[in-house]
Amino acid sequence: MADVFGDKAAKMLGLETASAADSQRRPSAGRKTFHSDAKAGAGKVSVQRSGFLFKKPFYKKGLRNKFQKRYFVLKDSFILWYKKAPPGSCNYGLYPEGCLPVGGCTVTQEGVDNSGYYFGVSHPEFHERLILRAETAQEAQEWIGLLKECKEATWDNALFGDAQVIFLQAKGTAEEKEKENAMAEAQKKAELANKAAAEKLELMEKQMAKQREYKELLRQKEEERENIIKQIEEEVALKKEVEARNLEEEAERMLLEKKLKEAQDAVAQLEETVQNKKGGKSAKDGLLKDIYELKKFLNSDSARPSYDDGV
């Protein structure tokens, strides 16, 4: 407690600090003061009452919210609570979870149910009510009676109570601010994550568009390749057809040349026979004339086969 609220708070609550453990102090006039046990290190401090109660969490609506078991101490017109009882024989801890000045408070009964007996403590400078639950009616009435008796607070205690209230309010404000900062940070991270996701999606869409363009280009190139192959195949087929026709015509020409040569040889042999034949001159001359005309025809271009070169 001295580390949290200072030496004055420790003195007001009757708890000596380590530096003043052996000093003798006089109680302030006009207020109750409880001193430490005479034996040094005993750790026992006189209090009006201490024990376990069930506390309703602050900022929760409704009476039936989950109550939390806490160790409460009523000391010098202050009510303090801890998450667990002090160790050993101590009934008073240095670092309470919460503290509320009883001076100026209103103590009220809140109701009864199967879980226990409820009562509340409120303060005009504290925004939340302290709702407590005892397991028995007697225990609740004892706490309520002592709380009402402790409302007679000294001036020093009242000032210190105000400081406690301000401290708790500041703590609540700091927690709210911390929550706001955490929410702002979380929102900022979410916005950054959304932005990163949007950028990633945009990049993926661009990559997909490039892939579509690349596939379309490949399709066009493949179509051009197929057209070129088809054109080459058609040209090769036409060339083979022309070559086959040329071969056929060349064979036919060679056959005709052979036949023409045979005819020429036959005519030359006939001419020689006619010349060597004995007989009338007029008939012989007429036959030679016909042979001459035949030879003339066979030696002319008309007797030779002709082919078109444009095929």
Side-chain angles (χ1 to χ4, degrees), residues 97-108:
E97 185 180 39
C99 176
L100 185 68
V102 182
C105 285
T106 302
V107 183
T108 56

Side-chain angles (χ1 to χ4, degrees), residues 274 280-294:
V274 170
K281 185 175 189 278
S282 59
K284 184 177 179 180
D285 290 341
L287 185 59
L288 289 172
K289 184 178 180 181
D290 292 337
I291 291 173
Y292 174 77
E293 292 296 332
L294 182 58

Side-chain angles (χ1 to χ4, degrees), residues 48-50 53 72-81 100-109 118-122 130-134 139-153:
Q48 284 89 333
R49 186 179 179 84
S50 64
L53 293 171
F72 281 82
V73 174
L74 187 59
K75 171 76 173 82
D76 278 4
S77 67
F78 286 92
I79 184 168
L80 306 96
W81 56 93
L100 185 68
V102 182
C105 285
T106 302
V107 183
T108 56
Q109 295 185 6
Y118 298 86
F119 58 97
V121 181
S122 60
L130 179 63
I131 305 297
L132 304 174
R133 187 183 72 206
E139 185 181 7
Q141 290 300 326
E142 289 177 358
W143 275 99
I144 292 172
L146 287 172
L147 284 168
K148 289 181 178 180
E149 289 180 4
C150 289
K151 290 173 60 176
E152 299 298 330

Side-chain angles (χ1 to χ4, degrees), residues 33-83:
T33 303
F34 299 86
H35 295 286
S36 300
D37 197 294
K39 294 183 179 180
K44 194 76 171 180
V45 178
S46 298
V47 298
Q48 284 89 333
R49 186 179 179 84
S50 64
F52 283 101
L53 293 171
F54 292 88
K55 171 183 168 294
K56 176 180 175 292
F58 291 128
Y59 308 107
K60 300 291 184 181
K61 301 297 182 181
L63 188 62
R64 295 183 180 272
N65 282 290
K66 187 175 181 180
F67 277 62
Q68 301 168 339
K69 189 175 182 180
R70 295 291 186 265
Y71 185 80
F72 281 82
V73 174
L74 187 59
K75 171 76 173 82
D76 278 4
S77 67
F78 286 92
I79 184 168
L80 306 96
W81 56 93
Y82 305 81
K83 286 187 176 181

Side-chain angles (χ1 to χ4, degrees), residues 198 200-210 212:
K200 184 176 181 180
L201 179 61
E202 183 179 0
L203 180 60
M204 291 176 62
E205 291 177 350
K206 289 181 179 179
Q207 291 176 348
M208 291 177 65
K210 288 183 178 180
R212 289 193 294 268

